[in-house]
């Protein structure tokens, strides 16, 4: 029974570690965030993002939905401009799931252990999304949210759901001090 609980715990940790999203923010402590009520997307910044045009659309739709839910209004003369930056890198996880029960001749892969010596190798893409809010009046960055996590989705619906999750968790930290 203890082995079953331990194995279940290992599986849970493995599954959640791959879907974990790490979020951090930084902001200008002198900015008055209550003055920002309207937004627009900063085309020059978004054009430079190194993702497909479809993913840019997904990200922008998710950001727009979250900002509207926070009471912002989309405007041609905005208080803040929203820009994004993306990067990705290939990651490899190697896990040794050694379920050995003791020394001696056994029936596992290793004759010195009575159990299995199982190594799992998992390759995936880790994506990072930066969301920048730029004060339009003085053209200065006032808030930045960063989210990093696994991006293995090839299915468009799953990819869109993962992007929405990234954006929602990042923007949950805006405005500062209200997390």
């Amino acid at each position: 029974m203890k082995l079953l609980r331990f194995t279940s715990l290992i599986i849970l940790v493995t599954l959640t570690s791959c879907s974990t999203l790490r979020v951090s923010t930084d902001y200008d402590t002198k900015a008055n965030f209550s003055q920002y009520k309207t937004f627009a997307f900063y085309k020059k910044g978004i054009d430079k993002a190194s993702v497909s045009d479809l993913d840019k659309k997904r990200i922008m739709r998710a950001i727009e939905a979250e900002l509207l839910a926070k009471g912002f209004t989309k405007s041609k003369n905005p208080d803040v401009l929203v820009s994004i930056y993306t990067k990705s890198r290939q990651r490899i996880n190697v896990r040794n799931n050694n379920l050995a029960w003791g020394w001696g001749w056994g029936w596992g892969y290793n004759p010195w252990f009575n159990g299995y010596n199982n190594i799992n190798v998992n390759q995936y893409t880790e994506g990072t999304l930066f969301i920048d809010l730029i004060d339009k009046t003085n053209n200065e960055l006032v808030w930045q949210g960063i989210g990093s996590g696994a991006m293995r989705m090839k299915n468009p619906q799953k990819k869109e759901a993962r992007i929405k999750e990234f954006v929602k968790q990042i923007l949950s930290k805006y405005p500062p001090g209200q997390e």
Side-chain angles (χ1 to χ4, degrees):
M1 188 66 179
K2 285 185 180 181
L3 180 61
L4 180 60
R5 277 189 272 172
F6 177 74
T7 304
S8 297
L9 177 64
I10 293 294
I11 291 170
L12 178 65
V13 168
T14 301
L15 290 175
T16 57
S17 68
C18 292
S19 65
T20 301
L21 178 60
R22 295 169 310 283
V23 173
S24 63
T25 61
D26 195 6
Y27 59 92
D28 180 351
T29 58
K30 305 279 190 236
N32 178 6
F33 291 96
S34 63
Q35 74 180 352
Y36 302 128
K37 306 283 186 213
T38 59
F39 75 96
F41 289 102
Y42 183 57
K43 184 169 175 17
K44 287 181 186 178
I46 291 170
D47 286 345
K48 292 179 184 178
S50 60
V51 292
S52 73
D53 287 344
L54 290 172
D55 283 342
K56 286 178 190 177
K57 284 182 187 181
R58 291 177 179 111
I59 293 167
M60 290 170 51
R61 280 193 296 243
I63 291 172
E64 183 173 335
E66 289 299 317
L67 289 177
L68 291 174
K70 288 183 173 290
F72 276 81
T73 305
K74 196 170 180 182
S75 171
K76 292 193 184 291
N77 186 23
D79 302 321
V80 291
L81 295 170
V82 179
S83 187
I84 63 169
Y85 173 76
T86 60
K87 65 180 182 176
S88 65
R89 65 182 176 168
Q90 293 300 310
R91 301 289 300 223
I92 297 175
N93 279 343
V94 179
R95 287 185 209 85
N96 184 357
N97 297 329
N98 188 353
L99 300 177
W101 295 292
W103 294 97
W105 289 96
W107 47 271
Y109 295 113
N110 186 335
W112 297 104
F113 289 100
N114 289 330
Y116 288 103
N117 193 10
N118 187 13
I119 296 176
N120 292 325
V121 178
N122 181 19
Q123 182 176 351
Y124 66 96
T125 301
E126 179 180 74
T128 302
L129 172 63
F130 296 76
I131 300 175
D132 295 340
L133 298 183
I134 302 162
D135 184 308
K136 180 147 186 266
T137 305
N138 55 20
N139 202 31
E140 290 182 1
L141 179 66
V142 291
W143 185 89
Q144 183 177 66
I146 306 165
S148 294
M151 287 296 298
R152 290 189 253 184
M153 296 80 219
K154 294 192 190 287
N155 175 302
Q157 288 86 12
K158 288 182 180 180
K159 185 186 280 191
E160 186 160 350
R162 184 67 170 157
I163 287 171
K164 284 180 181 179
E165 180 185 356
F166 263 64
V167 170
K168 183 178 182 97
Q169 287 194 33
I170 294 169
L171 288 176
S172 73
K173 306 287 185 185
Y174 182 87
Q178 294 187 8
E179 294 96 55

